[in-house]
């Protein structure tokens, strides 16, 4: 940790420390107060990453109401701009391509907005040590959440109605915020940072294309894409990952696309991973909404596969009802009489989407993925985080398995959903587009189904033809939020 030479940081919300701002959306002027660069920990490791921006509709300072909310009842929308598990900056209200981003849109709907910056996997201290490896991102988000709870009586908005939002890696950590609330696992980290001593749980979660459940995601990826041996591999400059359209402030890194043909070794590894997936799924003992058990046989077929297909079929029927031209989607199987889509050819669907990552999609055997970089330590940049990849490592380095396997469990919401030691969010909205191959569609559905099986309210869908992106349906997102709050 770096020495803190700054004046003592107060974690008391200062209602006088703001700037008045206004932006016009659809000919309507949105007035708000901006409280920017507010530190959310008293002993930051990196003050440029551990602050948040808070925005409050101006009406709440004049006893006014917006959309039926007042300063006491307004929910707190908590979006992050995390992409690729990289460092992230706090979001700001903006008009992008003629449309309000989620922050500005939230203000127009009467929400208080609190958007934290977070440390990420490439952050370094001046001594060269890494300071943003896992679990830094979730620790920072929990610290920001604790700030909101600690200041609930003086700050506009209701800290018992915090709704998180994020896309891709940001969707993953949004889910993790929802699952891991108040878990003592994070307390030593929060205490070291001087976080407010307060609750870290949230009310609800919105997650777009969450790149989550990382230690099971390699198996799921091969269950989806095992037949595909030639594909376009997407790589970002500096080994960065595809940046989602998260409405953050960073310019997207340069993409390079490379045609890759898997060799026999890759194919063998794909087979090994996909063969492990049924056992993983079966152990979860998931159910559909009718209570039917979701299982896979050793070939990867069964009720779980039909369940995943049903989401895609449903999305295709919705797109068809809206008049979308589906002629290029030749994997869709129609009912001869009604023309409704009744099935998909699973292999052809996955061929159509194609893979964008080689087997070992997340824990790469060559230990060089963004996720390997996430699980580094203060002095080691990259590590394996699954036993399987560590056993099949192709580098000449020794000791490339994570030093502290507990940290891997702390990054996975599956370990907190249903745990009596955590306070889980009660509401989840999860989206994963049918054109996205950044993870297997099974992954977000598994997390959502687990939450649903626990009795939480889960709104899950796989919007048709949508690729790796988020915040594309803000009207519906905020309708859902209003519904669960009011
Ligand atoms: C993101 C994308 C990925 O493919 C991945 O593995 C991790 C994160 C992202 O866009 O945030």
């Amino acid at each position: 940790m770096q020495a803190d030479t700054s004046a003592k940081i107060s974690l008391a919300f200062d209602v006088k420390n703001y700037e008045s701002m206004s932006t016009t959306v659809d000919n309507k002027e949105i007035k708000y107060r901006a409280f920017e660069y507010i530190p959310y920990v008293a002993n930051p490791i990196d003050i440029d990453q551990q602050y948040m921006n808070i925005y409050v509709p101006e009406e709440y300072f004049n006893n006014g109401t917006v959309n039926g909310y007042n300063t006491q009842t307004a929910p707190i929308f908590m979006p992050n701009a995390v992409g690729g598990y990289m460092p992230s900056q706090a979001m700001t209200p903006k008009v992008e391509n003629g449309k309000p981003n989620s922050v500005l849109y939230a203000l127009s709907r009467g929400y208080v907005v609190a958007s934290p910056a977070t440390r990420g996997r490439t952050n370094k201290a001046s001594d060269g040590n890494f300071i943003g490896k896992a679990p830094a991102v979730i620790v920072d988000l929990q610290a920001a959440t604790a700030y909101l709870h600690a200041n609930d009586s003086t700050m506009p908005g209701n800290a018992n109605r915090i709704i998180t939002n994020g896309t891709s890696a940001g969707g993953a950590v949004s889910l993790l915020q929802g699952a891991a609330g108040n878990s003592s696992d994070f307390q030593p980290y929060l205490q070291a940072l001087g976080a407010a001593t307060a609750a870290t749980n949230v009310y609800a979660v919105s997650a777009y294309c969450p790149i989550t459940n990382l230690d099971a995601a390699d198996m799921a990826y091969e269950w989806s894409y095992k037949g595909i041996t030639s594909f376009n591999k997407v790589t970002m400059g500096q080994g960065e990952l595809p940046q989602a359209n998260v409405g953050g402030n960073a310019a997207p890194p340069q993409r390079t696309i490379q045609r890759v043909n898997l060799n026999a070794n890759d194919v063998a590894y794909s087979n090994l991973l996909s063969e492990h997936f049924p056992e993983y799924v079966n152990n979860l003992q998931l159910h559909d909404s009718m209570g039917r058990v979701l299982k896979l046989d050793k070939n990867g077929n069964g009720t779980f596969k039909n369940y995943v297909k049903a989401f895609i079929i449903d999305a295709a029927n919705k797109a068809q009802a809206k008049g979308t031209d589906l002629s290029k989607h030749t994997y869709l199987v129609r009912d001869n009489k009604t023309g409704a889509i009744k099935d998909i050819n699973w292999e052809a669907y996955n061929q159509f989407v194609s893979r964008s990552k080689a087997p070992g999609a997340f824990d790469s055997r060559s230990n060089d993925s963004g996720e390997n970089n996430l699980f580094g330590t203060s002095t080691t940049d990259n590590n394996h985080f699954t036993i399987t990849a560590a056993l099949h490592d192709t580098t000449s380095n020794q000791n490339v398995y994570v030093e502290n396997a507990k940290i891997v469990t702390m990054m996975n919401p599956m370990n907190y959903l249903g745990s009596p030691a955590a306070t889980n969010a009660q509401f989840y909205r999860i989206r994963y587009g049918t054109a996205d191959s950044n993870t297997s569609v099974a992954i977000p559905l598994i997390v959502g189904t687990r939450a649903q099986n626990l009795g939480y309210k889960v709104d899950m869908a796989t919007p048709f033809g949508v690729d790796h992106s988020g915040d594309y349906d803000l009207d519906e997102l905020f309708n859902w939020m209003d519904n669960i709050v009011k």
Side-chain angles (χ1 to χ4, degrees):
M1 202 185 293
Q2 284 176 310
D4 179 14
T5 50
S6 60
K8 192 156 167 44
I9 291 172
S10 159
L11 296 183
F13 177 73
D14 181 359
V15 73
K16 293 193 209 73
N17 182 19
Y18 68 91
E19 218 181 302
S20 288
M21 293 189 180
S22 110
T23 312
T24 303
V25 181
D26 294 333
N27 295 322
K28 206 179 127 212
E29 195 186 10
I30 313 293
K31 289 187 176 175
Y32 52 92
R33 293 189 185 183
F35 305 79
E36 294 179 327
Y37 297 100
I38 312 294
Y40 53 69
V41 288
N43 313 315
I45 292 176
D46 185 346
I47 189 58
D48 296 326
Q49 301 295 151
Q50 295 176 304
Y51 72 92
M52 79 180 137
N53 289 347
I54 296 170
Y55 302 96
V56 183
E58 180 63 31
E59 286 86 343
Y60 296 157
F61 300 97
N62 311 311
N63 286 321
T65 64
V66 184
N67 184 25
Y69 299 122
N70 61 37
T71 187
Q72 305 281 339
T73 62
I76 302 177
F77 179 60
M78 192 177 190
N80 70 66
V82 176
Y85 289 101
M86 296 290 283
S88 74
Q89 293 302 308
M91 293 174 72
T92 57
K94 270 189 192 165
V95 178
E96 286 165 344
N97 306 320
K99 285 190 181 155
N101 72 354
S102 67
V103 176
L104 187 55
Y105 186 81
L107 291 166
S108 79
R109 303 256 316 217
Y111 287 64
V112 169
V113 179
S115 179
T118 62
R119 287 170 296 160
R121 60 186 169 84
T122 55
N123 279 135
K124 278 184 185 178
S126 51
D127 62 3
N129 279 348
F130 298 109
I131 53 173
K133 301 298 187 185
V137 56
I138 181 64
V139 170
D140 287 352
L141 291 170
Q142 289 206 347
T145 308
Y147 177 101
L148 298 175
H149 281 286
N151 286 289
D152 197 23
S153 61
T154 51
M155 213 188 108
N158 180 356
N160 294 317
R161 294 291 178 271
I162 297 172
I163 305 173
T164 62
N165 182 53
T167 296
S168 194
V173 292
S174 178
L175 280 172
L176 191 53
Q177 273 186 282
N182 299 331
S183 162
S184 61
D185 291 351
F186 302 89
Q187 280 308 319
Y189 299 87
L190 291 167
Q191 274 166 24
L193 290 169
T197 312
T200 58
N201 65 302
V202 299
Y203 183 66
V205 165
S206 154
Y208 291 96
C209 52
I211 305 298
T212 185
N213 196 358
L214 295 173
D215 41 315
D218 286 350
M219 295 181 285
Y221 205 77
E222 297 316 312
W223 175 71
S224 282
Y225 298 116
K226 67 180 158 203
I228 298 159
T229 55
S230 181
F231 66 103
N232 290 327
K233 185 175 175 188
V234 185
T235 320
M236 302 289 131
Q238 309 296 314
E240 289 174 19
L241 289 151
Q243 290 283 319
N245 172 25
V246 293
N249 304 330
Q254 208 58 41
R255 293 170 140 241
T256 54
I257 294 179
Q258 188 195 356
R259 194 73 191 168
V260 170
N261 294 305
L262 299 185
N263 62 30
N265 220 312
D266 296 318
V267 171
Y269 194 56
S270 167
N271 287 337
L272 180 143
L273 289 169
S274 69
E275 282 161 16
H276 285 166
F277 188 60
E279 189 188 349
Y280 169 74
V281 168
N282 295 344
N283 280 337
L284 294 175
Q285 307 202 3
L286 299 173
H287 297 83
D288 69 11
S289 57
M290 310 290 287
R292 283 177 295 232
V293 185
L294 301 173
K295 292 263 162 168
L296 291 175
D297 65 22
K298 64 178 181 13
N299 299 316
N301 295 316
T303 50
F304 178 80
K305 183 171 171 180
N306 296 338
Y307 177 74
V308 173
K309 282 167 70 175
F311 280 89
I312 299 165
I313 294 163
D314 187 48
N317 278 314
K318 288 204 170 98
Q320 178 157 277
K322 280 199 213 140
T324 312
D325 177 9
L326 300 179
S327 52
K328 66 177 180 180
H329 300 272
T330 51
Y331 54 84
L332 299 174
V333 183
R334 286 193 170 69
D335 183 294
N336 284 337
K337 283 204 190 95
T338 65
I341 294 135
K342 59 169 191 185
D343 198 5
I344 58 167
N345 177 323
W346 178 246
E347 286 75 23
Y349 163 67
N350 288 304
Q351 284 282 351
F352 182 86
V353 180
S354 193
R355 65 162 77 233
S356 49
K357 299 171 177 182
F362 300 92
D363 194 347
S364 148
R365 279 177 301 161
S366 44
N367 194 24
D368 59 358
S369 71
E371 286 76 10
N372 292 129
N373 194 239
L374 172 67
F375 289 108
T377 64
S378 60
T379 52
T380 308
D381 210 3
N382 290 13
N383 276 321
H384 288 302
F385 52 94
T386 63
I387 305 279
T388 311
L391 288 174
H392 294 85
D393 175 73
T394 55
T395 73
S396 48
N397 300 332
Q398 300 289 308
N399 304 324
V400 282
Y401 184 65
V402 283
E403 250 168 62
N404 181 357
K406 172 80 181 172
I407 291 175
V408 181
T409 71
M410 288 165 64
M411 293 299 289
N412 191 337
M414 293 295 282
N415 299 316
Y416 295 98
L417 286 169
S419 160
T423 310
N424 299 154
Q426 305 285 312
F427 301 92
Y428 299 80
R429 184 178 192 269
I430 301 173
R431 294 292 181 270
Y432 188 82
T434 64
D436 195 346
S437 64
N438 280 258
T439 189
S440 165
V441 60
I443 288 293
L445 294 179
I446 283 172
V447 180
T449 305
R450 163 55 55 90
Q452 194 167 60
N453 292 172
L454 289 163
Y456 305 134
K457 294 265 181 322
V458 181
D459 178 328
M460 257 189 312
T462 59
F464 196 78
V466 171
D467 203 343
H468 198 57
S469 57
D471 294 354
Y472 40 74
D473 55 352
L474 291 176
D475 292 4
E476 289 98 327
L477 172 63
F478 280 81
N479 289 345
W480 172 79
M481 291 190 203
D482 280 351
N483 252 312
I484 61 171
V485 170
K486 288 184 179 175

